Each structure stands twice: as C-alpha cells, then as structure tokens.
Amino acid sequence: MINYDKILNPTVKDIKPSGIRKYFDIVEEMDNVISLGVGEPDFATPWHICSAGVHSLENGHTKYTSNRGRKELREELARFMERKYRLTYDPMEEILVTVGGSEAIDAAIRALVQPGDEVLIVEPSFVCYEPITRLAGGIPVSLKTRAEDNFKLTPEALKEKITDKTKLLIFPFPCNPTGAVMRREDLEGIAAVLRDTNVMVLSDEVYAELTFGDRKHVSIAELEGMKERTVIAGGFSKTYSMTGWRLGYACGPAPVLLQITKIHQFAIMCAPTTSQYAAIEALKNGDEDIKKMRNEYDLRRRFIVDRFREIGMDCFEPEGAFYAFPSIKKFGMSSDEFCKQLLMAERVALIPGSAFGESGEGHVRASYCYSIEHLKEAAQRVQNFVSKL
Amino acid sequence: MSTDKKILSLLSDNAKYTNEDIARMLGVKKEEVDSRIADLEGQGIIRKYTTLVDWSRFDDAYVSALIELRVTPQPSDGFESIARKVMKYDEVETVYLMSGGYDLCAIVTGHTFQEVAMFVAKELAPMKEVISTATHFVLKRYKELNVDLCGNISDDREKMSF
C-alpha cells in the first residue's frame, strides 16, 4: 500500500482546504436557499462576443495559438490599456494572454518569488494569493486594511511591513470582498513608499472596470515610476461577464513578462483559442456592454447597501467590484457563526469575512450579482434574522 | 441619463418595482420618485402597468395574428380615421401605421384560429376603406419585450464561489 501521506508534497498538504468549503457544501445541498455567495456575474456573455467565438469554430480555428496569445488579441489589449488607463504596453513583449486572471496571478508570483522572499498581501482579499505564495516558497505577510480607512491600504501600514526580504506587494483593487478602491490620491502615497525600493507590485485589476461613481479606475502602474515595477493581472470574466471562457492577461515590463511567459508556455501552452477570438470582439466592440452592466450593478449596489444600513448593519460604501461587506460586530458573534446561524434560520447564504483573511473577521461578504427581486428577498430574510438577535 | 429616464427604464423592465425600490436603486428620496412617477403618469408618458404572460404555458387557448391591412387613405386625414376605427374592437390588441408594402398592422387575439380569421373576414375586410388584408398567425413566441420565452428560468452558477 502506498502511503500517500508520506509521498505528497508537505507544502501542498499544508494548504488549508479552507473550512469554508464545508459551509459551501452545506449551502449547495440545501433547498430554498437564497444565496448572495456567488463571485461571478449573472449576465450572459453579450451575444456578439459569443458569436465571434462560434464563428471562429465554424471557420476551423481550433488549433493552438502562439504561447503569448494571438497577436491581434494582444494588439487589442494594448489599445484597451491605452484607451482606459493611458498605459502603453508593447503587444510583442509586454502582454501575455492567460487562462483567466488567476493564471496571470499564479505565474507572476512564481516568476518573482524565491524561497524565503516575503510577499505582502493586502487583506482581506481574494483567497488565492497566500497559497500560491507558499507554493513558491514565499512567506506571506498580511497587510491588514480596516473599515476606518475604507479598507484602503495606507502608506504607513505598507512601510511598516517592508523589510530587506520583501519581494512583492499584492495589490488587489477594486477589492474582493470589501469593494474598496484606491483612487489616484490614495495611490500617490503607496507609490511614494515603493519608488525607492526593489519591491515589485502585482496589481490584481480584474474588477477595474467595475469602479463606480464619476471617477474611473486608476492603475497603480499609471503613477510615475510605477510601470517598471508593476505587473497587472486582468481578466475578461468580470469585465465582460465571461467567467466560463477562462481568459485573462498579464501586462508588465518585458524582462518579467519573458519569465512569466516561460511558466505559461510549459504549464498551459496557450489560452483557449475560441475564447481568444471572442475576446478580440469584446475588446473591439464591448465598451458599451461594460457600461450597461456597470450601470446595472450600480443600481443593485445602492439597493443592497441601503437595505443593510436600514436593517441596522454598518455598511461601508463599496466603490468597486460587486460585493458589499457589512459589519456584524455589534451582534457579538464571529462572522462564521453569524453566517451559519443565518443560513439555518433564514436560509440566506453569505460568506464570512474571515474566509478572506483574519482582518475580514467581523464582516460578511454579500455579492450583488443578482436581480433586485433576489436581493430584496435576501435582505428581508437578513432583516428577520437580525431583528431577533 | 435623466432621473425620469432611469425611472422609466426601470419600470419598463419591471413594473413591480415599488417606488421605494426605485429610490434605493437611484439613491434618491422616495418622495422624489413618488412625484416624478405621478408626473409621468399625468403626462401620459406612463400609460399602463402590465404583465408579460406566456400564454402558451397556461392551460387556455390563446391565438394571436398579425393582420396586414392595405387601405385607401382619406382626403381629410389620411390613415387617421381608419386606424381609429380598427382600434375600437376589443379583439384588436395593437394597431400600427407602417411603412412599406401595406399600411396598417393590427395584432388580433382570440381563442382559436377560426375565431380570429372570422373576425378579420367579418369585421376588418369588409370596411369600405380596406382594399385587402393578409392574416399571419403567430405560431410560436420566442422573445417578447426583451424576454426569452423559450428558455427556462434558471441560474446555472454554483451557489457559492469566491
């Protein structure tokens, strides 16, 4: 008998399967659950984008593309980055098409982090950064953000954690789960701390186009001196409601991208060809789709935040992504306990803030990728629950 | 987009939104939504709150047909008086003046093909201004008012994901 326990990589084994999975499984099995737990858009991919994918199949484009992704797609991505953020990337050397933003994040971390390197991770945040850092032998160091600071990273908090071993800052804004954004003036202070260091930034901007209000998303790479030390991970999933197409990209300095591309080349070969054709259409003719979906999310965002506040939950104003992150501190229980009790009592599924890092404790994540009727019913049930506490 | 236009677009998508819902979504006071909707109703911009029913899923006979009417325009008012005459019938759900090969389009509903056909034969075709009619029965409604009537309503996402 093989003793798997002995042969499996201990670093991998030590990655938490995350207790939250059990809770997710309970929700999946339960009937009549109203979930606000989904981290993906409810809109179908706009038809003209799907149609471009279908046409590519009809025309027999079923082969591998170049490792970096189709040239036309990289050129369109370069135009997109220029048009949206006034960032100039060379499609030949500074852009890589990946399997979702996730792959860009994974390959960027692996290309940069050596055993013993410290990786600063803004928290609470998406769940993948820490395990990937550990797999690369890096040491995750969390940078806790706080509701008092609108969940923004402050220059002071950053400065405090930088050491000689710091290799990389993972910078996820707009932020899942908090909905926090970093405006230009917030970024100035961060850039000032980083400019004289050798710390690289992995800017996870998959939610960039879901920034609400009159001001658009600003990438940290736009700030003076920052482009040369930043790798941007982006994706089509949230921007164009294309989660299942599994397509994203990395943009950054050529020497870094060269190494990221090697990892991609050996691990993945190339991103799905059909998806690449669809993505070209998205970039060429999808700006209106982004706007339409953003407007729709914005209505829902105001609706759910207003309802949470009315119920008596302190809810920070999320300015990006599609999540609200209300506080549950006043109810005197952990976010885990709150979510479990809420699920059992009213059959509403939220995600405990602690699933996104220790600093998420005291909050719960509510996705608003749902119709208003759905949000309304969920909010009513949360109200029923909270009113009895 | 003006607030009025936003309200109209929300209500045309879902007439069941309450004024309170709309106020929340737009980030304005409920009183403002009340008064704007009252104005829009008063001005006849909002004509009716209605429901899109997929009658084919309901256990009752329902037939609709699109009737092309070629008519002789009248010297005084062109197509106006004829259109108004056609729209008087309860059987006629919709009347449009059209460009192209015919003049008026009427959508007529009834319980059976026979009933609709007989209505056209007895009431519309004999009108002295009507030169000819052509009846096109609706066999299947795929999409109406932006709603897909073929698919089942389902959310195929996982219930939970990060």
Side-chain angles (χ1 to χ4, degrees), chain A residues 98-157:
Chain A
T98 58
V99 179
S102 321
E103 195 223 336
I105 293 164
D106 176 44
I109 293 175
R110 287 203 274 161
L112 288 160
V113 175
Q114 302 169 66
D117 283 349
E118 291 178 356
V119 176
L120 306 178
I121 303 172
V122 173
E123 244 190 45
S125 61
F126 185 56
V127 294
C128 80
Y129 314 121
E130 189 198 313
I132 295 173
T133 299
R134 287 198 192 280
L135 287 174
I139 302 163
V141 177
S142 54
L143 292 176
K144 297 185 168 59
T145 57
R146 304 175 311 163
E148 303 87 284
D149 301 321
N150 291 335
F151 292 107
K152 290 176 194 283
L153 176 63
T154 64
E156 297 74 33

Side-chain angles (χ1 to χ4, degrees), chain B residues 26-156:
Chain B
L26 300 183
V28 300
K29 291 219 154 34
K30 182 181 164 290
E31 293 70 31
E32 181 181 340
V33 176
D34 292 344
S35 84
R36 282 180 185 274
I37 289 181
D39 281 352
L40 290 164
E41 289 170 347
Q43 292 168 47
I45 294 172
I46 293 177
R47 302 302 294 226
K48 188 180 176 178
Y49 300 92
T50 177
T51 304
L52 175 62
V53 179
D54 186 351
W55 288 107
S56 70
R57 289 170 195 246
F58 185 73
D59 193 18
D60 197 8
Y62 176 86
V63 170
S64 66
L66 187 153
I67 320 292
E68 293 179 11
L69 298 168
R70 288 182 59 233
V71 302
T72 314
Q74 302 302 297
S76 53
D77 64 357
F79 297 100
E80 222 44 27
S81 57
I82 313 159
R84 282 167 195 278
K85 221 155 113 186
V86 171
M87 67 187 244
K88 294 278 186 240
Y89 294 95
D90 287 344
E91 290 87 341
V92 175
E93 178 189 89
T94 301
V95 178
Y96 299 132
L97 177 62
M98 309 297 286
S99 69
Y102 60 101
D103 307 305
L104 294 177
C105 163
I107 296 171
V108 175
T109 62
H111 294 97
T112 62
F113 285 78
Q114 177 88 3
E115 187 186 313
V116 171
M118 289 315 289
F119 169 76
V120 175
K122 282 188 174 163
E123 300 294 334
L124 300 182
M127 285 182 183
K128 66 178 191 316
E129 303 91 337
V130 172
I131 303 162
S132 69
T133 68
T135 301
H136 307 278
F137 283 104
V138 173
L139 300 182
K140 184 172 175 182
R141 297 155 86 203
Y142 291 94
K143 183 180 182 183
E144 220 168 283
L145 295 171
N146 280 317
V147 177
D148 176 350
L149 297 176
C150 324
N152 284 311
I153 305 159
S154 75
D155 184 345
D156 57 2

Side-chain angles (χ1 to χ4, degrees), chain A residues 35 40 176 302 373 376, chain B residues 14 21 25 157 159 162:
Chain A
S35 172
E40 69 175 308
N176 169 12
R302 281 192 289 253
E373 285 98 330
K376 201 171 166 177
Chain B
N14 185 348
D21 295 340
M25 286 188 257
R157 296 176 293 174
K159 281 186 199 150
F162 287 113

Side-chain angles (χ1 to χ4, degrees), chain A residues 13-296:
Chain A
K13 275 198 305 178
D14 287 348
I15 293 176
K16 289 173 277 175
S18 127
I20 197 72
R21 284 283 155 207
K22 267 187 221 151
Y23 168 73
F24 280 21
D25 291 342
I26 297 172
V27 176
E28 292 292 343
E29 294 302 313
M30 212 176 220
D31 290 330
N32 305 321
V33 174
I34 290 251
S35 172
L36 298 186
V38 167
E40 69 175 308
D42 57 328
F43 301 110
T45 306
W47 182 250
H48 65 106
I49 297 173
C50 295
S51 179
V54 171
H55 285 310
S56 79
L57 291 171
E58 284 170 347
N59 292 329
H61 298 303
T62 55
K63 303 290 194 290
Y64 296 130
T65 68
S66 79
N67 295 135
R68 286 175 183 275
R70 277 184 62 78
K71 186 163 165 259
E72 189 187 2
L73 174 54
R74 282 179 280 129
E75 285 167 351
E76 284 303 331
L77 275 167
R79 282 187 203 110
F80 179 88
M81 296 305 282
E82 184 82 54
R83 170 166 90 237
K84 296 279 182 185
Y85 317 116
R86 275 185 242 125
L87 283 167
T88 310
Y89 286 104
D90 176 358
M92 302 313 287
E93 294 193 313
E94 298 180 317
I95 297 176
L96 171 71
V97 179
T98 58
V99 179
S102 321
E103 195 223 336
I105 293 164
D106 176 44
I109 293 175
R110 287 203 274 161
L112 288 160
V113 175
Q114 302 169 66
D117 283 349
E118 291 178 356
V119 176
L120 306 178
I121 303 172
V122 173
E123 244 190 45
S125 61
F126 185 56
V127 294
C128 80
Y129 314 121
E130 189 198 313
I132 295 173
T133 299
R134 287 198 192 280
L135 287 174
I139 302 163
V141 177
S142 54
L143 292 176
K144 297 185 168 59
T145 57
R146 304 175 311 163
E148 303 87 284
D149 301 321
N150 291 335
F151 292 107
K152 290 176 194 283
L153 176 63
T154 64
E156 297 74 33
L158 171 62
K159 217 171 188 170
E160 199 187 297
K161 298 282 180 171
I162 293 182
T163 71
D164 296 344
K165 290 185 184 161
T166 307
K167 170 63 67 69
L168 180 64
L169 163 65
I170 294 177
F171 195 70
F173 293 99
C175 185
N176 169 12
T178 63
V181 301
M182 293 286 283
R183 301 290 183 185
R184 187 177 289 276
E185 59 273 20
D186 306 316
L187 295 170
E188 293 288 358
I190 301 301
V193 173
L194 294 173
R195 246 177 233 126
D196 300 322
T197 68
N198 275 325
V199 177
M200 288 288 297
V201 180
L202 172 58
S203 190
D204 179 351
E205 303 186 17
V206 297
Y207 291 101
E209 288 304 297
L210 296 177
T211 298
F212 305 106
D214 299 332
R215 294 197 293 165
K216 296 191 308 179
H217 169 77
V218 179
S219 168
I220 190 161
E222 290 179 59
L223 277 81
E224 203 197 320
M226 290 308 295
K227 190 167 164 252
E228 61 173 17
R229 59 185 81 244
T230 303
V231 175
I232 295 176
F236 292 83
S237 298
K238 317 300 199 276
T239 315
Y240 299 100
S241 212
M242 290 177 71
T243 43
W245 298 80
R246 304 312 305 123
L247 208 68
Y249 50 89
C251 300
V256 183
L257 259 281
L258 180 67
Q259 304 310 321
I260 294 177
T261 305
K262 272 199 248 166
I263 298 172
H264 169 78
Q265 173 185 343
F266 294 119
I268 303 286
M269 232 19 194
C270 67
T273 304
T274 313
S275 305
Q276 293 192 44
Y277 277 93
I280 292 169
E281 169 63 20
L283 292 166
K284 277 185 172 164
N285 298 309
D287 282 3
E288 267 308 304
D289 301 303
I290 299 177
K291 217 163 121 188
K292 245 164 82 181
M293 290 190 268
R294 180 171 47 220
N295 287 340
E296 189 65 35

